[in-house]
């Protein structure tokens, strides 16, 4: 029953994201992720207890975020969404992003994969629902 519900909500969100242009099915890194990406803009995530980041995009198989610090490829991370739940990921890429000459601190784009796609689906649904609530406020 719960699986049917999450699958239905996931499909609805994918359809909505396609209509709004928030769905990315190609481009750089698409071959590594294996699943369509959905833009995520408003929901704060906690990566490890000491690092708070904003998701760039999320898919059933992984997510990306910007970090002020480099993260070791292969490093396992626990990502918490609010106080709702935590998912386990592995860092698959961390690269320094080009920045303006005025930038005071380097920024890294960190890409992670979920160990279990089911966790990714729950995270994607939760992030998009929280993004919607924040947009309505």
């Amino acid at each position: 029953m719960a699986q049917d519900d999450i699958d239905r909500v996931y499909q609805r969100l994918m359809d909505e994201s396609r209509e709004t242009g928030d769905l990315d099915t190609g481009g750089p890194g698409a071959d590594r992720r294996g699943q369509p990406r959905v833009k995520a803009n408003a929901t704060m995530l906690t990566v490890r207890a000491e690092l708070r980041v904003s998701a760039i995009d999320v898919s059933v198989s992984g997510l990306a975020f910007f970090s002020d610090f480099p993260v070791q490829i292969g490093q396992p991370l626990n990502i918490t969404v609010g106080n709702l739940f935590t998912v386990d990921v592995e860092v698959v890429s961390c690269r320094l992003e080009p920045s303006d000459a005025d930038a005071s601190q380097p920024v890294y784009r960190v890409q992670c994969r979920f160990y279990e796609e089911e966790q990714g689906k729950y995270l994607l649904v939760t992030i998009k629902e929280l993004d919607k609530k924040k947009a309505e406020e």
Side-chain angles (χ1 to χ4, degrees):
M1 178 73 170
Q3 179 65 35
D4 290 342
D5 291 342
I6 193 71
D7 288 340
R8 192 170 29 259
V9 173
Y10 170 77
Q11 190 56 54
R12 178 180 52 82
L13 289 172
M14 296 301 283
D15 293 341
E16 288 175 6
S17 296
R18 187 175 291 106
E19 290 173 14
T20 62
D22 285 345
L23 185 66
D24 180 8
T25 57
D31 54 327
R32 289 189 311 266
R33 186 77 64 85
Q35 296 289 334
R37 299 171 185 209
V38 177
K39 291 180 186 171
N41 331 356
T43 301
M44 292 301 294
L45 306 173
T46 302
V47 178
R48 294 181 274 170
E50 65 275 6
L51 181 62
R52 289 182 53 90
V53 300
S54 291
I56 301 169
D57 59 47
V58 62
S59 73
V60 170
S61 56
L63 71 102
F65 61 86
F66 288 124
S67 171
D68 294 336
F69 306 98
V71 183
Q72 179 77 30
I73 293 173
Q75 179 175 348
L77 299 175
N78 297 355
I79 296 181
T80 303
V81 181
N83 293 328
L84 301 174
F85 65 92
T86 299
V87 296
D88 298 318
V89 301
E90 177 183 10
V91 175
V92 296
S93 173
C94 179
R95 69 175 189 266
L96 183 61
E97 287 290 293
S99 60
D100 299 334
D102 303 353
S104 61
Q105 189 168 340
V107 175
Y108 297 87
R109 180 185 177 99
V110 179
Q111 294 175 285
C112 304
R113 75 169 181 86
F114 297 113
Y115 292 109
E116 298 177 22
E117 287 192 353
E118 197 61 30
Q119 286 187 332
K121 190 180 289 184
Y122 277 98
L123 183 73
L124 186 151
V125 167
T126 302
I127 286 174
K128 292 307 290 182
E129 290 294 324
L130 290 171
D131 280 357
K132 259 192 219 179
K133 285 182 183 176
K134 287 184 180 183
E136 293 169 357
E137 294 176 354

